[in-house]
Amino acid sequence: MGMPYHMFPKVLNGLYQTINPLVRDEVKARIEKNMKDTNQEIIKIVYGTNYDSGIYRFGEKGVK
């Protein structure tokens, strides 16, 4: 994939913004550990917020 360099920061920021709503907690923990190990705080990780896990939880019991 290629893109003009001036677009890269916005694309990267958009990617970071998908972490909390899309990534499961196990992967979030790895991302957070890697950020701490490299002294970076790119994004505040919020656990228990991905929509995927909620779908599975409600899917098993049914949505009321």
Side-chain angles (χ1 to χ4, degrees):
M1 179 179 103
M3 73 179 79
Y5 182 75
H6 72 278
M7 292 177 64
F8 182 72
K10 287 184 180 182
V11 172
L12 187 60
N13 183 51
L15 181 64
Y16 289 144
Q17 297 308 314
T18 65
I19 291 172
N20 284 319
L22 296 178
V23 177
R24 293 186 177 189
D25 287 350
E26 301 82 32
V27 178
K28 288 179 185 179
R30 287 198 329 248
I31 292 169
E32 187 172 46
K33 180 185 180 313
N34 288 337
M35 286 191 311
K36 287 180 181 179
D37 289 349
T38 57
N39 296 319
Q40 299 180 62
E41 188 174 334
I42 298 167
I43 181 174
K44 182 179 185 323
I45 300 292
V46 181
Y47 291 91
T49 58
N50 78 316
Y51 76 92
D52 188 340
S53 295
I55 288 172
Y56 285 118
R57 185 176 68 242
F58 290 117
E60 293 171 2
K61 298 178 184 177
V63 178
K64 296 181 181 179

